[in-house]
Amino acid sequence: MVLSRRGSGSITLASGQTLAIHTRTHDEEDLPHATKKTMADHLRKYESRCVVHLQFRVSTNPKARSSFTLTPQRMRMIVEAFKDTLELGLAKPDQVVLCHVSLRPCRFITNAVPMIPTFVFGFPTGQEQGDYLAVDLGGTNLRVCLVYVQGEGKFEITQTKYRLTEEQKQDDGQKLFDFCAECLKTFIDNNLEADHRLNPGETLPLGFTFSYPCFQTKIDHGELIRWTKGFGVTNTEGRDVAEMFRKSLAKYELPVTLTALINDTTGTLIASHYVNPKTKIACIFGTGCNAAYMEHVVDIPKIKNLGIDDTADMAINCEWGAFDSFDHEHLPRTKYDTIVDETSNKPGEQAFEKLISGRYLGEILRLVICELIDEGVLFLGQNTYKLENPYVFDTAFLSLMESDPTDELLMIIGIFSHFFAVETTLAERQFFRALAKLIGRRAARLSACGIAAIVSKMGYLEEGCAVGADGSLYNKYPGFADRIHEGLVDIFGEKGRNIVTYHAEDGSGVGSAIIAAMTKARRNAGLYVHL
Ligand code: BGC
């Protein structure tokens, strides 16, 4: 038994499990807490610990070791591997196989990062105009918008948000699309018909932002490759989600025409370029993470057979959250990341996203805390059951902890006492804050690696470019953007300053409406499928 202080300690069972022990007597009131030195020692361990992350292989390869700290050299190695993966995704065609469960033909994605051609051709002219509806099914909310696109970078937007319940995220697919249609109906009844903005018999074009990987062969079609962000909705993977939504729209007899199926990153790319034409890349750092950019059709070998004009450009939805999935060769995963992955509903998948996005950062920190509770370092003698439920530690808590302006770290006291009913000392709170910083900083630096891979693939470094970024992590996590910029300098040196991220224009509302407008214009010009 290792005694860490009087009456407290931990024992390791033959099974390898560690049990924390604390004995208190009737005349002891104070709870035992870790000392400042203990917390500092633990922090050092997380800053520089070396963890073997390949489950069944003990490797001496330095790439196999990992910590929460990313050196510039390690970042450059990641960028190189990332760049090769992007190229591969553009080159290698996907295959259609028979799914062994449903026996339906389904797409077998041979590329880790699918690099999905979106059939959004080029940037907007800025002259797009008209009223458009947009429905945005993201990771947390359903949003319905009416966008009045006015041209010359101007627009007006009216919107409503509905929170998705955990049940809806696991229920039947058609039911989810019925819910989207029902919300759209309420919105139309309240905003359009009340304003008499729709003439009898008239339909409005609708852009559907569906923020999950979909294989597309045209703009208004998309087969769901896989759910991400913890969604497990049934009867949807491998099916055309645009078709499913159309069925629900018809059921509610809605006066709309689904014109375009859009990923949130593609929408962000187009909306951001509409207001800032220097934008060449768009990223989302929210519940999930991903990027889109504009590619030359001639450099997308896997769609050569479609006979699309080689001089055209097409937006690519990278789905970069899938980088390093299954093989886990390139990313520095700690044992906490491995647990997050293995206990998720999609083990092995979205390896990059699981180190970066808002859905997972809080959980990574919670797992570290739980380990220290089990080892008898934290919260001895206190009831910690509230901290023991997966995903109870919201990533928003990391933001709040990092931005606590008080010397006593009062915000952190509040989080632990109010949400988890445990008392903390200043040393512990300083430790939690430092840990949040390690996890948040790693997420931002890995994000810089993804951006750097696109920049370097497209040759944007010398002339520089703007990167439109959106999502709760980017918008609300203190210092996230600065840490990305610092990472870009670590990767590229001083030239890294030529790449500047900024808070993007609303992609899933405005972007989706502009894409619907671009599509309508192409359709009117007889260019429906491709050039
Ligand atoms: C999805 C992407 C999406 C991103 C951001 C990821 O989980 O796979 O399609 O763009 O989240 O919402």
Side-chain angles (χ1 to χ4, degrees):
M1 174 147 152
V2 189
L3 280 182
S4 61
R5 53 190 154 256
R6 199 162 160 255
S8 314
S10 63
I11 50 168
T12 306
L13 304 179
S15 64
Q17 197 189 4
T18 314
L19 288 186
I21 292 183
H22 170 65
T23 318
R24 192 158 68 94
T25 62
H26 55 278
D27 55 10
E28 275 175 316
E29 278 187 2
D30 288 348
L31 290 166
H33 282 284
T35 63
K36 199 166 176 180
K37 174 160 181 330
T38 309
M39 290 327 309
D41 287 348
H42 279 287
L43 185 63
R44 255 193 306 281
K45 194 172 76 183
Y46 298 117
E47 276 167 353
S48 59
R49 84 152 60 200
C50 293
V51 179
V52 175
H53 75 127
L54 302 173
Q55 206 187 355
F56 300 114
R57 284 172 277 168
V58 175
S59 170
T60 48
N61 175 355
K63 285 203 303 184
R65 297 200 197 133
S66 55
S67 79
F68 286 119
T69 307
L70 270 178
T71 62
Q73 186 204 6
R74 186 68 201 272
M75 292 172 82
R76 288 192 284 267
M77 284 165 69
I78 295 173
V79 174
E80 279 315 301
F82 215 127
K83 218 170 104 181
D84 291 348
T85 309
L86 300 182
E87 299 277 9
L88 194 72
L90 291 173
K92 219 168 145 194
D94 305 315
Q95 293 170 11
V96 179
V97 293
L98 218 55
C99 168
H100 66 285
V101 183
S102 65
L103 296 183
R104 287 164 42 83
C106 71
R107 205 150 299 278
F108 178 64
I109 301 301
T110 43
N111 306 313
V113 173
M115 302 295 279
I116 300 170
T118 62
F119 295 82
V120 172
F121 289 96
F123 285 116
T125 59
Q127 299 317 308
E128 292 74 14
Q129 288 188 354
D131 273 339
Y132 297 89
L133 281 164
V135 168
D136 168 22
L137 185 66
T140 317
N141 299 307
L142 170 74
R143 205 159 60 106
V144 183
C145 320
L146 172 66
V147 191
Y148 172 34
V149 183
Q150 296 161 321
E152 296 176 356
K154 295 190 198 124
F155 60 85
E156 194 184 285
I157 182 163
T158 311
Q159 59 171 325
T160 315
K161 240 185 200 179
Y162 306 83
R163 198 159 179 101
L164 294 169
T165 63
E166 286 310 308
E167 292 72 55
Q168 281 174 315
K169 294 180 190 172
Q170 312 300 328
D171 208 343
D172 173 70
Q174 198 62 57
K175 259 167 93 177
L176 180 64
F177 292 116
D178 279 357
F179 173 72
C180 298
E182 204 183 319
C183 294
L184 179 60
K185 179 171 174 21
T186 313
F187 181 86
I188 291 176
D189 289 348
N190 292 337
N191 294 284
L192 284 166
E193 300 201 327
D195 284 0
H196 308 292
R197 272 168 94 163
L198 205 59
N199 299 319
E202 192 188 349
T203 65
L204 267 189
L206 168 75
F208 181 31
T209 306
F210 184 74
S211 307
Y212 302 89
C214 284
F215 176 81
Q216 294 193 270
T217 48
K218 43 190 175 180
I219 183 90
D220 55 0
H221 152 109
E223 226 173 85
L224 177 62
I225 298 171
R226 56 176 166 257
W227 286 113
T228 58
K229 301 183 270 207
F231 268 58
V233 173
T234 54
N235 304 321
T236 324
E237 285 181 346
R239 295 178 63 182
D240 180 356
V241 291
E243 211 37 61
M244 288 177 81
F245 191 28
R246 272 194 199 99
K247 199 170 155 195
S248 301
L249 295 172
K251 178 170 166 188
Y252 286 86
E253 299 179 340
L254 293 178
V256 299
T257 310
L258 200 166
T259 314
L261 180 75
I262 302 146
N263 185 263
D264 51 354
T265 51
T266 316
T268 304
L269 179 69
I270 298 302
S272 299
H273 190 277
Y274 180 70
V275 291
N276 174 1
K278 287 211 178 92
T279 310
K280 301 233 166 79
I281 301 171
C283 301
I284 302 287
F285 303 110
T287 310
C289 94
N290 188 15
Y293 72 103
M294 197 58 78
E295 184 57 275
H296 312 300
V297 165
V298 68
D299 292 327
I300 317 176
K302 68 178 176 185
I303 56 166
K304 278 243 149 35
N305 61 328
L306 297 183
I308 300 174
D309 179 354
D310 262 0
T311 60
D313 286 339
M314 193 195 286
I316 296 289
N317 162 19
C318 302
E319 288 296 337
W320 77 10
F323 173 61
D324 210 29
S325 289
F326 301 108
D327 293 340
H328 306 304
E329 268 182 299
H330 305 292
L331 294 171
R333 298 201 310 158
T334 64
K335 65 172 167 183
Y336 315 102
D337 301 306
T338 309
I339 299 172
V340 165
D341 180 36
E342 288 173 357
T343 55
S344 72
N345 69 337
K346 301 273 182 160
E349 296 184 14
Q350 299 294 99
F352 188 56
E353 176 163 283
K354 284 175 179 157
L355 305 187
I356 294 180
S357 83
R359 174 163 171 82
Y360 304 102
L361 300 191
E363 178 63 3
I364 297 171
L365 190 133
R366 190 193 70 86
L367 287 170
V368 177
I369 294 180
C370 284
E371 182 181 73
L372 292 174
I373 294 174
D374 288 346
E375 287 175 2
V377 177
L378 285 174
F379 308 134
L380 266 173
Q382 301 195 54
N383 199 339
T384 52
Y385 75 99
K386 287 198 174 177
L387 271 164
E388 274 147 32
N389 290 329
Y391 291 91
V392 281
F393 208 92
D394 206 294
T395 298
F397 292 151
L398 274 70
S399 301
L400 291 170
M401 294 199 315
E402 278 218 54
S403 53
D404 191 336
T406 64
D407 290 343
E408 284 298 300
L409 300 177
L410 299 175
M411 176 70 81
I412 306 185
I413 296 185
I415 293 171
F416 280 87
S417 62
H418 181 75
F419 291 98
F420 306 109
V422 286
E423 280 175 31
T424 51
T425 61
L426 182 58
E428 287 164 348
R429 296 196 290 279
Q430 283 165 339
F431 167 80
F432 296 139
R433 170 145 65 186
L435 194 59
K437 188 168 171 190
L438 279 180
I439 295 170
R441 186 158 182 263
R442 181 184 69 162
R445 288 170 77 73
L446 285 171
S447 307
C449 293
I451 295 173
I454 299 180
V455 164
S456 137
K457 188 210 161 295
M458 296 305 288
Y460 292 150
L461 186 60
E462 296 297 326
E463 66 176 297
C465 75
V467 179
D470 206 352
S472 48
L473 211 53
Y474 186 83
N475 298 332
K476 296 193 187 138
Y477 201 105
F480 197 80
D482 293 344
R483 288 172 181 166
I484 292 182
H485 293 146
E486 194 184 276
L488 287 166
V489 172
D490 280 351
I491 295 166
F492 291 127
E494 279 307 298
K495 283 191 183 155
R497 297 191 197 285
N498 294 349
I499 314 301
V500 181
T501 72
Y502 72 97
H503 173 44
E505 197 40 74
D506 165 20
S508 27
V510 178
S512 159
I514 296 168
I515 293 174
M518 288 165 71
T519 308
K520 195 172 143 198
R522 287 175 56 79
R523 207 183 269 269
N524 290 345
L527 299 169
Y528 165 52
V529 177
H530 46 68
L531 293 177

